[in-house]
Amino acid sequence: MRRDSFAAYHPIVNFGYFVVVLAFSMIFMHPVFQGIALISAVTYSIVLNGIKAIRFNVLYMLPMLIILAAANPLFNHAGVTILFYMKDGNPVTLESILYGIASSCMLITVMVWFSCYNKVMTSDKFIYLFGRIIPALSLIFSMVLRFVPRFKQQIRVISVAQRSIGRDVTQGNVVHRARHGIRILSIMTTWAMENAIETADSMKARGYGLPGRTSFSLYRLDRRDQTMLITLAILIAAVLIGASAGENTIRYFPSIHMKDQSWLSAVVYTAYGLLCMLPAIISLVEELKWKFIISKT
Amino acid sequence: MEIYHIKDLSFAFPEQEKKALDTLNLSINSGEFVTVVGRSGCGKSTLLRHLKSVLTPHGERSGAILYKGQPLNAADLRTQAADIGFVLQNPDNQIVTDKVWHELAFGLESLGLDQQTMRLRVAEMASFFGIQTWFHRNVAELSGGQKQLLNLASIMAMHPSVLILDEPTSQLDPIAAMEFLDTVQRINRELGTTVIMCEHRLEEVLPISDRLIVMDRGAIIADHTPRAAGEALRAAGHPMFASMPAPMRIHAAVTRQGTMDSQRPLTIKEGRQWLQDNMLQEAAEPMEQIVSTGKTANPNPVVVQFKDVWCKYEKHGADIIKDLSFEVRRGQFYCIVGGNGTGKSTTLSLLSGILKPNRGKVLVEGQQPSAMKVRDLFHNRLGVLPQNPQSLFVKKTVELDLYEVLSDVKLSSEEKKAKVDQVVAFAELESLLAMHPYDLSGGEQQRAALAKVLLLNPTILLLDEPTKGLDAFFKEKLGAFLHKLRSDGVTIIMVSHDIEFCAKYGEVCSMFFDGSMIASNETNTFFAGNHFYTTAANRMARHLWRDAVTTESVITRCLNSR
């Protein structure tokens, strides 16, 4: 797997970043903001997943965007700028068309951001973050991740063994198959409980249950992470100031209304653009740095 | 310093008359390497579990256990958790978390150490055990040997002063077991940790232990250095002597009593030297390098045939089986030996029709198993005993489980009963019928599973590592069963790591390497032709008698040459 530079930051940076950009892309419907968010999300997904992301975005996201945008005016007839009337007498308005495009853009952006989130926030990062809050929970997550694959493996072993005495789910008629399946699941339960005794012993033997349990992690909040957190904070503050000044919002119904553009809007746009493009910029800078270092040696 | 002092310890499980431990007296000093041996069910594990409070079983107890001069119960659980390390039998069951690094830190987290200390300890242990290369992996990707090493490392990270191990290598293959025992020895030697271990692999473990404790029916019957304890067993004529290392047994059978302790050979090296010094100098009869012909004089019809078989799991994956050809004749006991991942188990899967060859042909009595109906293949033809016999059981009691096999067979209930009774008598399961299959010991499970398979009247029996985790006593029993089956005309194909077992009971042995058969011959000739991959007795005596493969044959030669 390609290692992404942004993903190498501390989990709290990764997680915080995604919470913020997801929230912003859902709240801010202003076209410039939407454009920035969509382009950044798609760019970062391509940085993360390469050619696979392009295929995914073009094959699934693009058609979805078009369908959703086209569907809205069919059902939503609010707005003052009437373009024409449909056969059933309902009006098709400019506002509803634009609103359809905007809301589908928002949906797609959120989905693409989530695909990036999945790639960056691996299970152990997630476990780590929540382990800080509730240590027992992180252990439970970790144990689930350990035992689910293990049970699947054991079901396979039992199923192969049963096949050799003609008792597998792939053998016999429908009734037999069902019966074999239930039997395998039932013995699986027994097996799991039986083996859990030894697991419990091993946990007890290593002091599980003593008061004051801590949680070990491989992550450290270093200076780079701190710089990053401060940068994020500044950018977020700038965007929020814009929000409070009404720069980020738009009114669609009954008629479209946005605040006039000013020097403040330019600042807010830049801040939001930087915020959304940050992971992609980091990846690019790191790559250039790497090439530079390599070329020197 | 005395670490453990056990005074008159007796213990009985609830509602049982028989004492699992019977007035034990024992003292273990700091830094000792103590090995505890005995048949399954002799109370070894019960004794070990008494050495750590959280693992002590419930029951009737008398006597005292002192830990560093204080009663064990007086040491609080936090001290015990860190100070007394305990490694259990099954590598998989002991692992709790999903990542190697997390598992290493599990005990430290329980103790509530801070990040900085944990970081250091985890790093130290990962380096000591050579775990760095797989530090970030998921535990599911590890081999059995790696898993057990991880369990050991996770305990060592807590800096215990005593390490207790309960049959830690019984689920491992010989190479992984050697690596594990080497690590335990290193811990004892380099860190001075006291080691108390139950083990069946005496050949490897005795040379590294300081003390051997032999238990029988809950009592200690010998407690000396390994050499002296072996001698005591021999003098008492105790059956446990049969599981002592081959050099010791050969020496004891050939010489009279009264030899000094230090002269008794324990390792192959010592055994060789002793043979050299004491036996008539006979040059090993020159033997032409044995080239496998695969042809035996057996006139019986061929029942299993592999013709130029190739097999792989994935479309673009590597070939697991490469150009494999061999045949097994009716009534043969065919052993397949070889390292891990050489394709032995895949061969069994091909035979039982779970896999299809990509090229070539697999024939069972002239038909392709993957194309046969289940009924045709597994009734009255092929019986498969899986590596883990537990995976065959599906019912609450052994008896129900046996009847379950016959549920699809058209027989009257009397006939069924007669059949079950017959197989129960054969596998000696009478006393176990009402028990839950999971409550049986390893050897008993093996027998119950065998009985289950035998109910389908197989003429060809496939066994996948049947001796895994069995002690010498049960192995002998299994050997006897297989012998009985063969005399009834059953063909047996066995995959095994257990060279001694193959040498003793097998008829033809084949060695697998890199997906095909490298050598194949009659057992005796096969092992005589190998230099390294052969029995302990043969390695010890092959410079004098190359074809003396079993301990018994070496003993006979020794006595004859006097």
Side-chain angles (χ1 to χ4, degrees), chain B residues 27 60 64 109 119 152-153 182 185 297 337 393 442 448 487 503 530 534 557:
Chain B
S27 156
E60 197 81 20
E109 287 181 336
R119 239 168 244 282
L152 182 59
D182 281 346
Q185 190 200 5
V337 297
F393 304 128
S487 55
N530 289 352
T534 174
R557 309 283 177 111

Side-chain angles (χ1 to χ4, degrees), chain A residues 3 122-125 127-128 132 135 138-147 149-150 153-154 157-168 170-172 176 179-180 183-184 186-192 194-221, chain B residues 49 52 54-55 77-78 80-82 84 86 88-99 101-103 105-116 118-119 122 135-136 139-140 147 151 154-155 158 352-354 374 378-379 382-384 386 388 390-395 404-408 436 438-439 452-453 456:
Chain A
R3 284 192 70 90
T122 50
S123 64
D124 42 332
K125 286 186 184 174
I127 289 169
Y128 162 73
R132 295 297 293 256
S138 91
L139 180 66
I140 290 172
F141 269 127
S142 183
M143 286 178 74
V144 167
L145 286 174
R146 156 96 184 107
F147 285 100
R150 193 154 172 240
Q153 163 71 18
Q154 183 63 20
V157 168
I158 294 178
S159 144
V160 166
Q162 294 296 321
R163 193 178 305 173
S164 62
I165 49 171
R167 293 281 187 283
D168 190 33
T170 57
Q171 294 160 327
H176 280 142
R179 203 188 298 155
H180 296 159
R183 202 169 287 155
I184 288 174
S186 114
I187 200 63
M188 187 57 214
T189 325
T190 316
W191 179 89
E194 190 71 23
N195 287 280
I197 296 172
E198 210 177 27
T199 309
D201 276 347
S202 140
M203 288 171 75
K204 273 191 289 180
R206 284 182 287 166
Y208 183 72
L210 292 174
R213 189 180 161 79
T214 48
S215 173
F216 176 65
S217 79
L218 297 173
Y219 305 108
R220 224 158 49 88
L221 195 74
Chain B
R49 281 174 172 266
K52 183 157 177 149
V54 284
L55 297 180
L77 292 179
R78 191 174 291 272
Q80 281 199 31
I84 306 172
F86 207 110
L88 300 153
Q89 195 170 35
N90 189 313
D92 256 316
N93 287 346
Q94 293 176 72
I95 297 179
V96 179
T97 61
D98 62 329
K99 297 274 188 210
W101 59 264
H102 199 176
E103 188 65 23
F106 182 83
L108 306 175
E109 287 181 336
S110 304
L111 294 178
L113 299 184
D114 60 276
Q115 287 286 330
Q116 211 43 48
M118 281 203 256
R119 239 168 244 282
V122 164
F135 186 68
H136 288 280
V139 288
K147 280 179 187 157
N151 287 323
S154 163
I155 283 156
M158 298 163 78
S352 51
I354 293 168
V374 178
F378 293 118
H379 285 213
L382 204 61
V384 184
N388 182 356
Q390 266 190 358
S391 54
L392 270 184
F393 304 128
V394 290
K395 290 283 182 180
E404 193 271 339
V405 182
L406 297 177
S407 61
D408 294 354
H436 193 286
Y438 278 51
D439 290 340
K452 201 170 170 183
V453 171
L456 294 173

Side-chain angles (χ1 to χ4, degrees), chain A residues 89-161:
Chain A
N90 274 321
V92 171
T93 63
L94 177 66
E95 284 81 8
S96 70
I97 290 177
L98 290 178
Y99 183 72
I101 293 172
S103 50
S104 61
C105 258
M106 188 259 280
L107 194 71
I108 301 297
T109 311
V110 169
M111 285 174 79
V112 177
W113 273 133
F114 261 114
S115 76
C116 300
Y117 171 90
N118 266 337
K119 192 87 184 178
V120 172
M121 286 297 289
T122 50
S123 64
D124 42 332
K125 286 186 184 174
F126 188 76
I127 289 169
Y128 162 73
L129 278 182
F130 284 86
R132 295 297 293 256
I133 307 165
I134 319 167
L137 197 65
S138 91
L139 180 66
I140 290 172
F141 269 127
S142 183
M143 286 178 74
V144 167
L145 286 174
R146 156 96 184 107
F147 285 100
V148 169
R150 193 154 172 240
F151 289 167
K152 271 163 114 181
Q153 163 71 18
Q154 183 63 20
I155 285 190
R156 255 198 307 277
V157 168
I158 294 178
S159 144
V160 166

Side-chain angles (χ1 to χ4, degrees), chain B residues 225-231 234 245-279 540 562:
Chain B
T225 62
R227 290 170 217 268
E231 177 57 23
R234 192 194 65 86
M248 197 184 239
R249 273 182 292 155
I250 294 168
H251 175 267
V254 175
T255 53
R256 289 166 305 281
Q257 284 170 350
T259 32
M260 297 277 291
D261 238 19
S262 57
Q263 287 167 352
R264 296 196 193 102
L266 195 58
T267 59
I268 302 289
K269 174 179 146 186
E270 289 164 3
R272 273 178 92 96
Q273 280 163 354
W274 168 77
L275 273 183
Q276 223 146 22
D277 297 344
N278 290 281
M279 291 298 125
M540 173 176 152
R562 287 243 128 166

Side-chain angles (χ1 to χ4, degrees), chain B residues 2-42:
Chain B
E2 198 175 41
I3 285 255
Y4 276 110
H5 189 88
I6 295 173
K7 258 192 297 196
D8 298 324
L9 179 67
S10 291
F11 174 80
F13 282 101
E15 291 166 39
Q16 283 198 352
E17 285 288 302
K18 215 181 93 206
K19 281 182 177 170
L21 298 176
D22 198 356
T23 28
L24 290 189
N25 282 294
L26 188 62
S27 156
I28 291 167
N29 286 324
S30 168
E32 269 190 305
F33 193 125
V34 182
T35 304
V36 184
V37 300
R39 275 185 195 175
S40 320
C42 72

Side-chain angles (χ1 to χ4, degrees), chain B residues 309-314 317-324 341-347 350 355 358 512-516:
Chain B
V309 173
W310 292 71
C311 184
K312 58 189 169 188
Y313 285 114
E314 286 152 23
D319 289 304
I320 308 292
I321 298 288
K322 297 175 188 170
D323 195 19
L324 177 65
T342 49
K344 298 182 312 230
S345 295
T346 312
T347 308
L350 282 167
L355 287 177
N358 302 124
F512 254 66
F513 181 74
D514 196 22
S516 63

